[in-house]
Amino acid sequence: MDGKAGAERPRALRADARRNHDRLLATARTAFAERGTDTSLEDVARTAGVGIGTLYRHFPTRQALLSAVFQSEVDVLLARSRELLDAEQSCTALIEWLRAIITHAGLYRGLARALMSASGDASSALARCSEPMQEAGEALLVRAREAGSVRADVTIADLLQLTNAIALAAEQSPEDPELADRLLALTYRGLKD
């Protein structure tokens, strides 16, 4: 029997390690929602009842923790993109999906900024979330482009950066709850020929 066969399979976490992992994720999710994505990781570990070394064993970087926290929300956004592929109005479906991303980013103060800074770094742990989002958005964009609803020079990378910028602007202007919708409406008009 080849000794490499067992090395190829990821080892399952022990029960106590799994509990620590899950507790860290739940604690980080709450902390990021309440205090922002730049909240102290030492505070996250302490609140979860583990040491900082345990946090770093599970999540070697802040971006790895962010990626793990946001993965379930990304899964929801990906599922929504697949549903919207069947929508009658392809450009409206694309905008609806972008609006869902803005809403998601608004749940965690600092998420839009983290996504913007990670967008050009394929080695970033957040790229694990970003790549499938780009693919999902590209499918919606291609459909809208083929329907003649979107200009040919529009790219999904630009749209996602713009979407993150809108989410960041909305985060910075909580006194104006309509800002994101107004900026998205401007985006919608700019997509058309």
Side-chain angles (χ1 to χ4, degrees):
M1 175 184 256
D2 188 299
K4 291 183 182 180
E8 292 175 10
R9 250 180 285 135
R11 287 183 16 185
L13 292 176
R14 295 184 330 249
D16 61 332
R18 171 56 56 198
R19 282 190 301 275
N20 288 342
H21 179 272
D22 294 347
R23 200 167 42 243
L24 282 163
L25 277 178
T27 302
R29 184 172 287 114
T30 300
F32 293 161
E34 292 174 356
R35 298 186 302 275
T37 58
D38 59 351
T39 194
S40 161
L41 296 184
E42 288 82 5
D43 287 347
V44 170
R46 187 175 23 262
T47 303
V50 301
I52 191 68
T54 299
L55 183 145
Y56 282 121
R57 269 192 301 283
H58 289 282
F59 308 102
T61 65
R62 178 179 297 274
Q63 287 193 344
L65 180 57
L66 287 170
S67 178
V69 165
F70 304 134
Q71 188 59 53
S72 63
E73 285 90 354
V74 167
D75 292 343
V76 170
L77 290 168
L78 294 174
R80 184 67 183 133
S81 74
R82 288 187 294 273
E83 292 168 6
L84 288 167
L85 280 172
D86 295 328
E88 204 170 304
Q89 299 294 321
S90 56
C91 189
T92 303
L94 175 62
I95 292 296
E96 184 177 327
W97 188 68
L98 296 176
R99 178 174 280 112
I101 293 171
I102 292 168
T103 300
H104 165 257
L107 298 175
Y108 301 98
R109 197 165 15 106
L111 176 57
R113 185 176 54 248
L115 291 172
M116 287 177 79
S117 60
S119 69
D121 182 5
S123 67
S124 161
L126 282 174
R128 195 174 83 208
C129 294
S130 177
E131 290 168 7
M133 291 288 287
Q134 287 211 8
E135 291 170 9
E138 184 68 27
L140 290 167
L141 177 60
V142 165
R143 187 169 171 264
R145 196 180 291 130
E146 288 172 351
S149 303
V150 173
R151 295 178 4 205
D153 63 338
V154 175
T155 68
I156 195 59
D158 287 347
L159 278 179
L160 290 175
Q161 279 292 76
L162 185 56
T163 300
N164 287 324
I166 291 171
L168 183 57
E171 177 184 306
Q172 297 298 312
S173 304
E175 72 285 351
D176 186 358
E178 304 302 318
L179 179 62
D181 284 333
R182 287 195 318 273
L183 294 175
L184 200 54
L186 285 172
T187 301
Y188 181 72
R189 288 194 292 275
L191 291 174
K192 298 175 176 260
D193 282 323

